[in-house]
Amino acid sequence: MDRDASEHRVVVGLDGSQSSYEALRWAVRHAGLVGGIVDAVAVWELPGLYGWSAPAVDMDVDEDEVRQKMRRELTDVLGADAAGSVRTHVVHGNPTDVLLRAAEGAEVLVVGSRGRGGFARALLGSVSQHVSQHASCPVVIVRCPKQ
């Protein structure tokens, strides 16, 4: 990811969950206050790829399609003008590892409190919990408002 020491980078993890959309909104507001830039990071991983069994998913992931979907989600969440100011990154790998690497040198890493997986009653998802303990920069964990 582009890293310019003179800019205030705000890294936000996106996974398609409502919690990550709230994190995106927070990141954009914060970047506006500090004159920073938002790097939105979407991570894709093939479940079962590293186990002894064959993957149970389609191996043909179209990264261009993932990028287009991410752009549509950004526009839906932020509106066209604000979405255009967000830099997008689609990365293959473990979500925790990718976010920690992306956050190196950033002003802040912003994640949702829970992603799409996990237990509904968990206060923190495994990724948000792990990055909060291991990031080299401050971490903001954004919760969704009660619905």
Side-chain angles (χ1 to χ4, degrees):
M1 274 167 239
D2 302 329
R3 290 188 172 96
D4 180 352
S6 65
E7 69 183 4
H8 298 282
R9 274 187 332 109
V10 178
V11 176
V12 59
L14 290 179
D15 66 1
S17 68
Q18 284 303 109
S19 185
S20 74
Y21 295 156
E22 290 299 324
L24 174 63
R25 289 181 186 103
W26 192 97
V28 168
R29 282 192 304 269
H30 181 75
L33 292 173
V34 300
I37 185 77
V38 175
D39 282 328
V41 180
V43 184
W44 64 274
E45 179 178 43
L46 297 175
L49 186 60
Y50 305 108
W52 58 267
S53 65
V57 296
D58 183 3
M59 292 291 289
D60 295 324
V61 173
D62 185 345
E63 285 190 56
D64 288 333
E65 187 176 312
V66 173
R67 281 187 183 83
Q68 290 174 5
K69 182 177 187 278
M70 185 178 182
R71 271 283 158 213
R72 283 192 305 272
E73 288 178 345
L74 288 174
T75 301
D76 290 346
V77 172
L78 300 173
D81 291 340
S85 68
V86 175
R87 297 189 298 201
T88 59
H89 308 276
V90 177
V91 183
H92 174 260
N94 175 281
T96 302
D97 295 340
V98 169
L99 288 173
L100 289 173
R101 277 194 316 273
E104 291 174 3
E107 176 169 300
V108 64
L109 171 61
V110 186
V111 293
S113 60
R114 287 190 326 99
R116 294 185 301 174
F119 299 99
R121 290 197 275 174
L123 293 176
L124 285 180
S126 60
V127 172
S128 57
Q129 184 173 13
H130 192 84
V131 298
S132 72
Q133 296 169 348
H134 298 283
S136 59
C137 65
V139 176
V140 173
I141 301 172
V142 179
R143 294 190 63 180
C144 271
K146 295 278 184 197
Q147 299 193 5

